[in-house]
Amino acid sequence: MSIKSGFKGTYAYCAPEIVFDQKYSQYGDIYAYGMIVFEILTNDVPFEGRKNIYQLMKMLMNDYRPEFKYPIPYCYRKLIEKCWSYYTNRPSFETIINDLETNKDFITENVDKMQVKCQWSK
């Protein structure tokens, strides 16, 4: 028997299926990961300036996602957008890690290649 205990999380980082249906799964974590990567790479807070939760919920109902105001490497944008997609279409963390480890496009001028190589080989 499962008991619904109400919303848990920070609305701006929660997947629509969590906000609307309290449907918690690994896919919700992937969505949140996408929001965090978006914030790190763009230095923009997702949904910043929304006055209340109802505005945010309306945006989520209409499939709104934060906009990319400035260019970022395509591979990162594609990763973020995959994480924001409909929950059954989101990649697993295993897939994300594999992509980060094997796709050299993720190594940009701001990434220390030697540090990445040492950390991934542990």
Side-chain angles (χ1 to χ4, degrees):
M1 179 169 108
S2 72
I3 299 172
K4 290 190 176 183
S5 60
F7 177 79
K8 307 268 189 295
T10 304
Y11 283 102
Y13 296 87
C14 278
E17 68 272 12
I18 295 173
V19 173
F20 297 116
D21 301 323
Q22 295 180 11
K23 189 175 192 174
Y24 293 88
S25 72
Q26 67 182 6
Y27 300 111
D29 294 337
I30 300 294
Y31 180 93
Y33 172 79
M35 287 295 180
I36 292 167
V37 173
F38 170 84
E39 185 172 350
I40 291 169
L41 290 176
T42 65
N43 204 30
D44 284 337
V45 177
F47 306 110
E48 186 173 43
R50 300 295 163 239
K51 304 257 187 270
N52 59 53
I53 184 58
Y54 302 106
Q55 288 177 326
L56 176 58
M57 290 175 75
K58 183 177 179 181
M59 294 170 79
L60 290 175
M61 270 195 273
N62 293 315
D63 293 325
Y64 177 85
R65 300 295 185 265
E67 70 179 86
F68 294 88
K69 297 176 188 170
Y70 307 101
I72 63 170
Y74 177 74
C75 59
Y76 285 101
R77 181 177 177 140
K78 186 175 175 184
L79 170 65
I80 292 166
E81 289 173 342
K82 282 182 189 177
C83 292
W84 289 348
S85 64
Y86 186 71
Y87 75 97
T88 58
N89 296 331
R90 294 178 196 147
S92 66
F93 276 120
E94 183 178 297
T95 299
I96 292 170
I97 290 168
N98 184 59
D99 287 349
L100 291 172
E101 288 179 337
T102 60
N103 184 342
K104 295 188 186 312
D105 292 340
F106 285 103
I107 305 297
T108 64
E109 64 186 35
N110 296 326
V111 176
D112 182 338
K113 294 175 190 169
M114 290 306 296
Q115 185 177 1
V116 170
K117 187 173 183 179
C118 291
Q119 287 184 8
W120 284 341
S121 58
K122 288 182 182 178

